[in-house]
mmCIF file of all heavy atoms in Angstrom:
data_model
loop_
_atom_site.group_PDB
_atom_site.id
_atom_site.type_symbol
_atom_site.label_atom_id
_atom_site.label_comp_id
_atom_site.label_asym_id
_atom_site.label_seq_id
_atom_site.Cartn_x
_atom_site.Cartn_y
_atom_site.Cartn_z
ATOM 1 N N GLY A 105 -17.179 74.331 -53.132
ATOM 2 C CA GLY A 105 -17.602 75.551 -53.729
ATOM 3 C C GLY A 105 -18.256 75.395 -55.072
ATOM 4 O O GLY A 105 -19.169 76.092 -55.403
ATOM 5 N N TRP A 106 -17.911 74.410 -55.826
ATOM 6 C CA TRP A 106 -18.387 74.177 -57.189
ATOM 7 C C TRP A 106 -19.627 73.334 -57.221
ATOM 8 O O TRP A 106 -20.168 73.142 -58.277
ATOM 9 C CB TRP A 106 -17.267 73.586 -58.046
ATOM 10 C CG TRP A 106 -16.719 72.321 -57.501
ATOM 11 C CD1 TRP A 106 -15.694 72.220 -56.706
ATOM 12 C CD2 TRP A 106 -17.213 70.945 -57.712
ATOM 13 N NE1 TRP A 106 -15.448 70.904 -56.285
ATOM 14 C CE2 TRP A 106 -16.405 70.109 -56.965
ATOM 15 C CE3 TRP A 106 -18.259 70.480 -58.413
ATOM 16 C CZ2 TRP A 106 -16.540 68.745 -56.918
ATOM 17 C CZ3 TRP A 106 -18.431 69.064 -58.390
ATOM 18 C CH2 TRP A 106 -17.591 68.194 -57.651
ATOM 19 N N LEU A 107 -20.035 72.787 -56.040
ATOM 20 C CA LEU A 107 -21.226 71.903 -56.104
ATOM 21 C C LEU A 107 -22.372 72.487 -55.131
ATOM 22 O O LEU A 107 -22.326 72.313 -53.958
ATOM 23 C CB LEU A 107 -20.861 70.567 -55.511
ATOM 24 C CG LEU A 107 -21.944 69.461 -55.488
ATOM 25 C CD1 LEU A 107 -22.385 69.142 -56.887
ATOM 26 C CD2 LEU A 107 -21.319 68.212 -54.783
ATOM 27 N N PRO A 108 -23.290 73.195 -55.678
ATOM 28 C CA PRO A 108 -24.375 73.708 -55.015
ATOM 29 C C PRO A 108 -25.395 72.577 -54.658
ATOM 30 O O PRO A 108 -25.744 71.712 -55.513
ATOM 31 C CB PRO A 108 -25.054 74.726 -55.961
ATOM 32 C CG PRO A 108 -24.658 74.317 -57.323
ATOM 33 C CD PRO A 108 -23.339 73.583 -57.215
ATOM 34 N N LEU A 109 -25.806 72.475 -53.410
ATOM 35 C CA LEU A 109 -26.754 71.442 -52.980
ATOM 36 C C LEU A 109 -28.054 72.094 -52.530
ATOM 37 O O LEU A 109 -28.071 73.189 -52.070
ATOM 38 C CB LEU A 109 -26.126 70.630 -51.853
ATOM 39 C CG LEU A 109 -24.920 69.777 -52.200
ATOM 40 C CD1 LEU A 109 -24.401 69.221 -50.899
ATOM 41 C CD2 LEU A 109 -25.342 68.678 -53.063
ATOM 42 N N PRO A 110 -29.201 71.402 -52.792
ATOM 43 C CA PRO A 110 -30.471 71.906 -52.417
ATOM 44 C C PRO A 110 -30.575 72.047 -50.834
ATOM 45 O O PRO A 110 -30.139 71.089 -50.158
ATOM 46 C CB PRO A 110 -31.501 70.938 -52.917
ATOM 47 C CG PRO A 110 -30.759 69.658 -53.167
ATOM 48 C CD PRO A 110 -29.271 70.076 -53.452
ATOM 49 N N THR A 111 -31.062 73.124 -50.286
ATOM 50 C CA THR A 111 -31.272 73.280 -48.913
ATOM 51 C C THR A 111 -32.736 73.567 -48.590
ATOM 52 O O THR A 111 -33.065 73.786 -47.464
ATOM 53 C CB THR A 111 -30.371 74.418 -48.356
ATOM 54 O OG1 THR A 111 -30.665 75.634 -49.113
ATOM 55 C CG2 THR A 111 -28.966 74.054 -48.474
ATOM 56 N N ARG A 112 -33.589 73.549 -49.578
ATOM 57 C CA ARG A 112 -35.033 73.819 -49.437
ATOM 58 C C ARG A 112 -35.770 72.632 -49.758
ATOM 59 O O ARG A 112 -35.329 71.851 -50.753
ATOM 60 C CB ARG A 112 -35.488 75.034 -50.272
ATOM 61 C CG ARG A 112 -34.827 76.258 -49.979
ATOM 62 C CD ARG A 112 -35.579 76.959 -48.809
ATOM 63 N NE ARG A 112 -35.095 78.255 -48.589
ATOM 64 C CZ ARG A 112 -34.396 78.645 -47.348
ATOM 65 N NH1 ARG A 112 -34.156 77.704 -46.498
ATOM 66 N NH2 ARG A 112 -34.031 79.845 -47.305
ATOM 67 N N PRO A 113 -36.834 72.224 -49.159
ATOM 68 C CA PRO A 113 -37.391 72.877 -48.105
ATOM 69 C C PRO A 113 -36.583 72.863 -46.882
ATOM 70 O O PRO A 113 -35.570 72.125 -46.787
ATOM 71 C CB PRO A 113 -38.742 72.091 -47.849
ATOM 72 C CG PRO A 113 -38.466 70.748 -48.378
ATOM 73 C CD PRO A 113 -37.450 70.957 -49.566
ATOM 74 N N VAL A 114 -36.924 73.700 -45.900
ATOM 75 C CA VAL A 114 -36.102 73.941 -44.751
ATOM 76 C C VAL A 114 -35.832 72.655 -43.956
ATOM 77 O O VAL A 114 -34.761 72.435 -43.415
ATOM 78 C CB VAL A 114 -36.783 74.993 -43.759
ATOM 79 C CG1 VAL A 114 -35.963 75.202 -42.502
ATOM 80 C CG2 VAL A 114 -36.919 76.327 -44.559
ATOM 81 N N ASP A 115 -36.822 71.767 -43.938
ATOM 82 C CA ASP A 115 -36.625 70.553 -43.135
ATOM 83 C C ASP A 115 -35.951 69.396 -43.944
ATOM 84 O O ASP A 115 -35.934 68.288 -43.547
ATOM 85 C CB ASP A 115 -38.062 70.075 -42.731
ATOM 86 C CG ASP A 115 -38.726 70.895 -41.762
ATOM 87 O OD1 ASP A 115 -37.899 71.627 -41.039
ATOM 88 O OD2 ASP A 115 -39.831 70.998 -41.598
ATOM 89 N N LEU A 116 -35.379 69.721 -45.139
ATOM 90 C CA LEU A 116 -34.841 68.683 -45.989
ATOM 91 C C LEU A 116 -33.706 67.912 -45.317
ATOM 92 O O LEU A 116 -33.657 66.731 -45.277
ATOM 93 C CB LEU A 116 -34.294 69.343 -47.311
ATOM 94 C CG LEU A 116 -33.679 68.298 -48.292
ATOM 95 C CD1 LEU A 116 -34.691 67.214 -48.802
ATOM 96 C CD2 LEU A 116 -33.123 69.038 -49.551
ATOM 97 N N TYR A 117 -32.790 68.676 -44.616
ATOM 98 C CA TYR A 117 -31.731 68.014 -43.939
ATOM 99 C C TYR A 117 -32.290 67.094 -42.833
ATOM 100 O O TYR A 117 -31.775 65.990 -42.622
ATOM 101 C CB TYR A 117 -30.768 68.997 -43.377
ATOM 102 C CG TYR A 117 -29.575 68.500 -42.564
ATOM 103 C CD1 TYR A 117 -28.552 67.867 -43.339
ATOM 104 C CD2 TYR A 117 -29.558 68.360 -41.185
ATOM 105 C CE1 TYR A 117 -27.455 67.346 -42.760
ATOM 106 C CE2 TYR A 117 -28.411 67.784 -40.570
ATOM 107 C CZ TYR A 117 -27.377 67.247 -41.342
ATOM 108 O OH TYR A 117 -26.408 66.663 -40.711
ATOM 109 N N ALA A 118 -33.200 67.528 -41.997
ATOM 110 C CA ALA A 118 -33.839 66.714 -41.011
ATOM 111 C C ALA A 118 -34.438 65.477 -41.601
ATOM 112 O O ALA A 118 -34.355 64.356 -41.004
ATOM 113 C CB ALA A 118 -34.827 67.539 -40.184
ATOM 114 N N TRP A 119 -35.117 65.609 -42.721
ATOM 115 C CA TRP A 119 -35.697 64.420 -43.326
ATOM 116 C C TRP A 119 -34.653 63.401 -43.805
ATOM 117 O O TRP A 119 -34.874 62.212 -43.579
ATOM 118 C CB TRP A 119 -36.595 64.823 -44.521
ATOM 119 C CG TRP A 119 -37.825 65.627 -44.173
ATOM 120 C CD1 TRP A 119 -38.418 65.664 -43.009
ATOM 121 C CD2 TRP A 119 -38.578 66.475 -45.030
ATOM 122 N NE1 TRP A 119 -39.517 66.454 -43.078
ATOM 123 C CE2 TRP A 119 -39.637 66.952 -44.350
ATOM 124 C CE3 TRP A 119 -38.400 66.829 -46.359
ATOM 125 C CZ2 TRP A 119 -40.524 67.881 -44.896
ATOM 126 C CZ3 TRP A 119 -39.261 67.668 -46.984
ATOM 127 C CH2 TRP A 119 -40.316 68.210 -46.149
ATOM 128 N N THR A 120 -33.627 63.930 -44.481
ATOM 129 C CA THR A 120 -32.632 63.028 -44.993
ATOM 130 C C THR A 120 -31.807 62.350 -43.834
ATOM 131 O O THR A 120 -31.488 61.162 -43.902
ATOM 132 C CB THR A 120 -31.606 63.739 -45.862
ATOM 133 O OG1 THR A 120 -30.908 64.776 -45.175
ATOM 134 C CG2 THR A 120 -32.316 64.278 -47.115
ATOM 135 N N GLN A 121 -31.602 63.076 -42.762
ATOM 136 C CA GLN A 121 -30.865 62.440 -41.623
ATOM 137 C C GLN A 121 -31.754 61.501 -40.868
ATOM 138 O O GLN A 121 -31.315 60.487 -40.281
ATOM 139 C CB GLN A 121 -30.319 63.567 -40.710
ATOM 140 C CG GLN A 121 -29.082 64.224 -41.341
ATOM 141 C CD GLN A 121 -28.112 63.141 -41.884
ATOM 142 O OE1 GLN A 121 -27.442 62.474 -41.195
ATOM 143 N NE2 GLN A 121 -28.069 63.034 -43.230
ATOM 144 N N GLY A 122 -33.021 61.792 -40.769
ATOM 145 C CA GLY A 122 -33.956 60.844 -40.172
ATOM 146 C C GLY A 122 -34.060 59.604 -40.945
ATOM 147 O O GLY A 122 -34.044 58.521 -40.384
ATOM 148 N N LEU A 123 -34.157 59.686 -42.223
ATOM 149 C CA LEU A 123 -34.076 58.525 -43.114
ATOM 150 C C LEU A 123 -32.765 57.724 -42.915
ATOM 151 O O LEU A 123 -32.789 56.577 -42.821
ATOM 152 C CB LEU A 123 -34.279 58.948 -44.589
ATOM 153 C CG LEU A 123 -34.292 57.857 -45.601
ATOM 154 C CD1 LEU A 123 -35.519 56.915 -45.370
ATOM 155 C CD2 LEU A 123 -34.424 58.412 -47.032
ATOM 156 N N HIS A 124 -31.630 58.429 -42.900
ATOM 157 C CA HIS A 124 -30.362 57.817 -42.757
ATOM 158 C C HIS A 124 -30.298 56.969 -41.439
ATOM 159 O O HIS A 124 -29.914 55.857 -41.448
ATOM 160 C CB HIS A 124 -29.351 58.937 -42.675
ATOM 161 C CG HIS A 124 -27.914 58.436 -42.578
ATOM 162 N ND1 HIS A 124 -27.167 58.093 -43.732
ATOM 163 C CD2 HIS A 124 -27.089 58.219 -41.478
ATOM 164 C CE1 HIS A 124 -25.934 57.668 -43.357
ATOM 165 N NE2 HIS A 124 -25.892 57.721 -41.995
ATOM 166 N N VAL A 125 -30.745 57.583 -40.329
ATOM 167 C CA VAL A 125 -30.774 56.926 -39.057
ATOM 168 C C VAL A 125 -31.651 55.734 -38.925
ATOM 169 O O VAL A 125 -31.407 54.665 -38.527
ATOM 170 C CB VAL A 125 -30.968 58.001 -37.877
ATOM 171 C CG1 VAL A 125 -31.151 57.205 -36.529
ATOM 172 C CG2 VAL A 125 -29.790 58.937 -37.795
ATOM 173 N N ALA A 126 -32.995 55.983 -39.494
ATOM 174 C CA ALA A 126 -33.928 54.978 -39.504
ATOM 175 C C ALA A 126 -33.553 53.756 -40.311
ATOM 176 O O ALA A 126 -33.639 52.605 -39.788
ATOM 177 C CB ALA A 126 -35.294 55.437 -39.910
ATOM 178 N N VAL A 127 -33.088 54.001 -41.558
ATOM 179 C CA VAL A 127 -32.680 52.877 -42.411
ATOM 180 C C VAL A 127 -31.423 52.197 -41.858
ATOM 181 O O VAL A 127 -31.371 51.011 -41.802
ATOM 182 C CB VAL A 127 -32.538 53.339 -43.828
ATOM 183 C CG1 VAL A 127 -31.831 52.302 -44.719
ATOM 184 C CG2 VAL A 127 -33.862 53.849 -44.454
ATOM 185 N N GLY A 128 -30.443 53.002 -41.363
ATOM 186 C CA GLY A 128 -29.331 52.398 -40.736
ATOM 187 C C GLY A 128 -29.512 51.538 -39.572
ATOM 188 O O GLY A 128 -29.025 50.448 -39.450
ATOM 189 N N THR A 129 -30.492 51.992 -38.770
ATOM 190 C CA THR A 129 -30.930 51.111 -37.604
ATOM 191 C C THR A 129 -31.632 49.882 -38.072
ATOM 192 O O THR A 129 -31.425 48.811 -37.494
ATOM 193 C CB THR A 129 -31.726 52.021 -36.677
ATOM 194 O OG1 THR A 129 -31.048 53.095 -36.281
ATOM 195 C CG2 THR A 129 -32.156 51.202 -35.398
ATOM 196 N N ALA A 130 -32.538 50.009 -38.987
ATOM 197 C CA ALA A 130 -33.268 48.876 -39.570
ATOM 198 C C ALA A 130 -32.363 47.835 -40.128
ATOM 199 O O ALA A 130 -32.729 46.630 -40.291
ATOM 200 C CB ALA A 130 -34.378 49.371 -40.472
ATOM 201 N N LEU A 131 -31.216 48.274 -40.699
ATOM 202 C CA LEU A 131 -30.283 47.338 -41.347
ATOM 203 C C LEU A 131 -29.567 46.420 -40.397
ATOM 204 O O LEU A 131 -29.034 45.406 -40.904
ATOM 205 C CB LEU A 131 -29.219 48.114 -42.149
ATOM 206 C CG LEU A 131 -29.770 48.814 -43.478
ATOM 207 C CD1 LEU A 131 -28.591 49.491 -44.211
ATOM 208 C CD2 LEU A 131 -30.360 47.749 -44.385
ATOM 209 N N LEU A 132 -29.497 46.793 -39.165
ATOM 210 C CA LEU A 132 -28.779 45.872 -38.168
ATOM 211 C C LEU A 132 -29.344 44.452 -38.294
ATOM 212 O O LEU A 132 -28.554 43.517 -38.425
ATOM 213 C CB LEU A 132 -28.821 46.468 -36.839
ATOM 214 C CG LEU A 132 -28.103 45.632 -35.772
ATOM 215 C CD1 LEU A 132 -26.638 45.425 -36.122
ATOM 216 C CD2 LEU A 132 -28.173 46.308 -34.340
ATOM 217 N N PRO A 133 -30.626 44.212 -38.040
ATOM 218 C CA PRO A 133 -31.145 42.890 -38.053
ATOM 219 C C PRO A 133 -30.994 42.207 -39.441
ATOM 220 O O PRO A 133 -30.791 40.998 -39.566
ATOM 221 C CB PRO A 133 -32.617 42.931 -37.635
ATOM 222 C CG PRO A 133 -32.961 44.307 -37.740
ATOM 223 C CD PRO A 133 -31.689 45.136 -37.695
ATOM 224 N N VAL A 134 -31.135 43.054 -40.532
ATOM 225 C CA VAL A 134 -30.998 42.463 -41.897
ATOM 226 C C VAL A 134 -29.619 41.921 -42.071
ATOM 227 O O VAL A 134 -29.368 40.948 -42.655
ATOM 228 C CB VAL A 134 -31.408 43.482 -42.905
ATOM 229 C CG1 VAL A 134 -31.195 42.950 -44.271
ATOM 230 C CG2 VAL A 134 -32.857 43.971 -42.675
ATOM 231 N N LEU A 135 -28.610 42.774 -41.647
ATOM 232 C CA LEU A 135 -27.224 42.417 -41.772
ATOM 233 C C LEU A 135 -26.899 41.181 -41.004
ATOM 234 O O LEU A 135 -26.241 40.325 -41.510
ATOM 235 C CB LEU A 135 -26.347 43.498 -41.279
ATOM 236 C CG LEU A 135 -24.810 43.363 -41.281
ATOM 237 C CD1 LEU A 135 -24.266 43.067 -42.653
ATOM 238 C CD2 LEU A 135 -24.097 44.560 -40.702
ATOM 239 N N LEU A 136 -27.410 41.114 -39.758
ATOM 240 C CA LEU A 136 -27.097 39.880 -38.963
ATOM 241 C C LEU A 136 -27.757 38.698 -39.546
ATOM 242 O O LEU A 136 -27.185 37.584 -39.584
ATOM 243 C CB LEU A 136 -27.588 40.073 -37.488
ATOM 244 C CG LEU A 136 -26.796 41.214 -36.687
ATOM 245 C CD1 LEU A 136 -27.440 41.473 -35.332
ATOM 246 C CD2 LEU A 136 -25.300 40.823 -36.608
ATOM 247 N N GLY A 137 -29.006 38.892 -40.169
ATOM 248 C CA GLY A 137 -29.725 37.767 -40.826
ATOM 249 C C GLY A 137 -28.929 37.243 -42.005
ATOM 250 O O GLY A 137 -28.781 36.081 -42.241
ATOM 251 N N LYS A 138 -28.395 38.244 -42.780
ATOM 252 C CA LYS A 138 -27.589 37.782 -43.946
ATOM 253 C C LYS A 138 -26.406 37.119 -43.575
ATOM 254 O O LYS A 138 -26.039 36.028 -44.172
ATOM 255 C CB LYS A 138 -27.239 39.110 -44.721
ATOM 256 C CG LYS A 138 -26.227 38.917 -45.858
ATOM 257 C CD LYS A 138 -26.801 38.383 -47.131
ATOM 258 C CE LYS A 138 -25.719 38.496 -48.190
ATOM 259 N NZ LYS A 138 -26.109 37.940 -49.444
ATOM 260 N N LEU A 139 -25.657 37.551 -42.465
ATOM 261 C CA LEU A 139 -24.494 36.895 -42.051
ATOM 262 C C LEU A 139 -24.822 35.515 -41.514
ATOM 263 O O LEU A 139 -24.112 34.534 -41.689
ATOM 264 C CB LEU A 139 -23.758 37.723 -40.966
ATOM 265 C CG LEU A 139 -23.167 39.017 -41.437
ATOM 266 C CD1 LEU A 139 -22.565 39.788 -40.322
ATOM 267 C CD2 LEU A 139 -22.113 38.808 -42.515
ATOM 268 N N TRP A 140 -25.943 35.321 -40.850
ATOM 269 C CA TRP A 140 -26.421 34.029 -40.364
ATOM 270 C C TRP A 140 -26.644 32.987 -41.493
ATOM 271 O O TRP A 140 -26.251 31.881 -41.453
ATOM 272 C CB TRP A 140 -27.697 34.136 -39.479
ATOM 273 C CG TRP A 140 -28.147 32.900 -38.944
ATOM 274 C CD1 TRP A 140 -27.722 32.205 -37.835
ATOM 275 C CD2 TRP A 140 -29.178 32.010 -39.562
ATOM 276 N NE1 TRP A 140 -28.473 30.999 -37.706
ATOM 277 C CE2 TRP A 140 -29.398 30.905 -38.737
ATOM 278 C CE3 TRP A 140 -29.978 32.124 -40.672
ATOM 279 C CZ2 TRP A 140 -30.205 29.905 -39.068
ATOM 280 C CZ3 TRP A 140 -30.908 31.183 -40.953
ATOM 281 C CH2 TRP A 140 -30.991 30.067 -40.115
ATOM 282 N N VAL A 141 -27.257 33.555 -42.558
ATOM 283 C CA VAL A 141 -27.506 32.639 -43.772
ATOM 284 C C VAL A 141 -26.199 32.230 -44.403
ATOM 285 O O VAL A 141 -26.193 30.942 -44.747
ATOM 286 C CB VAL A 141 -28.434 33.427 -44.716
ATOM 287 C CG1 VAL A 141 -28.524 32.678 -46.119
ATOM 288 C CG2 VAL A 141 -29.851 33.636 -44.182
ATOM 289 N N VAL A 142 -25.287 33.037 -44.566
ATOM 290 C CA VAL A 142 -24.116 32.644 -45.255
ATOM 291 C C VAL A 142 -22.902 32.182 -44.349
ATOM 292 O O VAL A 142 -21.890 31.758 -44.905
ATOM 293 C CB VAL A 142 -23.534 33.805 -46.158
ATOM 294 C CG1 VAL A 142 -24.572 34.218 -47.164
ATOM 295 C CG2 VAL A 142 -23.126 34.991 -45.362
ATOM 296 N N TYR A 143 -23.146 32.165 -43.088
ATOM 297 C CA TYR A 143 -22.073 31.713 -42.150
ATOM 298 C C TYR A 143 -21.413 30.410 -42.446
ATOM 299 O O TYR A 143 -20.286 30.260 -42.347
ATOM 300 C CB TYR A 143 -22.614 31.841 -40.710
ATOM 301 C CG TYR A 143 -21.721 31.425 -39.679
ATOM 302 C CD1 TYR A 143 -20.589 32.246 -39.324
ATOM 303 C CD2 TYR A 143 -21.881 30.249 -38.926
ATOM 304 C CE1 TYR A 143 -19.787 31.930 -38.329
ATOM 305 C CE2 TYR A 143 -20.982 29.922 -37.919
ATOM 306 C CZ TYR A 143 -19.875 30.760 -37.653
ATOM 307 O OH TYR A 143 -19.080 30.403 -36.649
ATOM 308 N N PRO A 144 -22.237 29.395 -42.775
ATOM 309 C CA PRO A 144 -21.696 28.012 -43.083
ATOM 310 C C PRO A 144 -20.518 28.068 -44.178
ATOM 311 O O PRO A 144 -19.729 27.234 -44.235
ATOM 312 C CB PRO A 144 -22.833 27.175 -43.417
ATOM 313 C CG PRO A 144 -23.984 27.763 -42.790
ATOM 314 C CD PRO A 144 -23.748 29.234 -42.874
ATOM 315 N N ARG A 145 -20.577 29.101 -45.070
ATOM 316 C CA ARG A 145 -19.581 29.132 -46.181
ATOM 317 C C ARG A 145 -18.205 29.387 -45.553
ATOM 318 O O ARG A 145 -17.209 29.111 -46.248
ATOM 319 C CB ARG A 145 -19.975 30.271 -47.073
ATOM 320 C CG ARG A 145 -21.244 29.988 -47.898
ATOM 321 C CD ARG A 145 -21.089 29.091 -48.995
ATOM 322 N NE ARG A 145 -20.124 29.509 -49.986
ATOM 323 C CZ ARG A 145 -19.455 28.747 -50.725
ATOM 324 N NH1 ARG A 145 -19.507 27.516 -50.709
ATOM 325 N NH2 ARG A 145 -18.632 29.339 -51.624
ATOM 326 N N LEU A 146 -18.172 29.875 -44.360
ATOM 327 C CA LEU A 146 -16.837 30.034 -43.723
ATOM 328 C C LEU A 146 -16.187 28.728 -43.531
ATOM 329 O O LEU A 146 -14.913 28.632 -43.441
ATOM 330 C CB LEU A 146 -17.069 30.757 -42.323
ATOM 331 C CG LEU A 146 -15.820 31.172 -41.562
ATOM 332 C CD1 LEU A 146 -15.038 32.149 -42.298
ATOM 333 C CD2 LEU A 146 -16.290 31.751 -40.236
ATOM 334 N N PHE A 147 -16.849 27.708 -43.499
ATOM 335 C CA PHE A 147 -16.281 26.388 -43.163
ATOM 336 C C PHE A 147 -16.152 25.476 -44.408
ATOM 337 O O PHE A 147 -16.320 24.234 -44.345
ATOM 338 C CB PHE A 147 -17.167 25.680 -42.112
ATOM 339 C CG PHE A 147 -17.162 26.395 -40.802
ATOM 340 C CD1 PHE A 147 -18.275 27.218 -40.456
ATOM 341 C CD2 PHE A 147 -16.092 26.339 -39.947
ATOM 342 C CE1 PHE A 147 -18.238 27.959 -39.357
ATOM 343 C CE2 PHE A 147 -16.087 27.086 -38.810
ATOM 344 C CZ PHE A 147 -17.217 27.812 -38.468
ATOM 345 N N THR A 148 -15.851 26.091 -45.520
ATOM 346 C CA THR A 148 -15.535 25.244 -46.765
ATOM 347 C C THR A 148 -14.038 24.825 -46.702
ATOM 348 O O THR A 148 -13.221 25.518 -46.102
ATOM 349 C CB THR A 148 -15.736 26.044 -48.010
ATOM 350 O OG1 THR A 148 -14.948 27.173 -48.032
ATOM 351 C CG2 THR A 148 -17.187 26.456 -48.211
ATOM 352 N N TRP A 149 -13.759 23.602 -47.212
ATOM 353 C CA TRP A 149 -12.421 23.178 -47.225
ATOM 354 C C TRP A 149 -12.085 22.708 -48.624
ATOM 355 O O TRP A 149 -12.892 21.837 -49.146
ATOM 356 C CB TRP A 149 -12.225 22.076 -46.175
ATOM 357 C CG TRP A 149 -10.778 21.774 -46.079
ATOM 358 C CD1 TRP A 149 -10.072 20.763 -46.689
ATOM 359 C CD2 TRP A 149 -9.748 22.563 -45.313
ATOM 360 N NE1 TRP A 149 -8.709 20.918 -46.338
ATOM 361 C CE2 TRP A 149 -8.524 22.036 -45.493
ATOM 362 C CE3 TRP A 149 -9.873 23.674 -44.601
ATOM 363 C CZ2 TRP A 149 -7.380 22.514 -44.970
ATOM 364 C CZ3 TRP A 149 -8.720 24.160 -43.937
ATOM 365 C CH2 TRP A 149 -7.498 23.628 -44.227
ATOM 366 N N PRO A 150 -11.007 22.990 -49.174
ATOM 367 C CA PRO A 150 -10.048 24.069 -48.746
ATOM 368 C C PRO A 150 -10.727 25.423 -48.741
ATOM 369 O O PRO A 150 -11.628 25.600 -49.597
ATOM 370 C CB PRO A 150 -8.891 23.883 -49.720
ATOM 371 C CG PRO A 150 -9.455 23.271 -50.956
ATOM 372 C CD PRO A 150 -10.613 22.444 -50.472
#
Side-chain angles (χ1 to χ4, degrees):
W106 54 270
L107 182 64
L109 292 172
T111 56
R112 297 276 189 245
V114 176
D115 292 334
L116 180 61
Y117 182 76
W119 292 339
T120 61
Q121 286 313 286
L123 183 64
H124 184 85
V125 171
V127 171
T129 303
L131 285 181
L132 180 59
V134 178
L135 176 61
L136 295 176
K138 169 81 171 178
L139 294 175
W140 179 83
V141 168
V142 299
Y143 180 70
R145 294 283 297 152
L146 184 62
F147 298 100
T148 57
W149 192 263

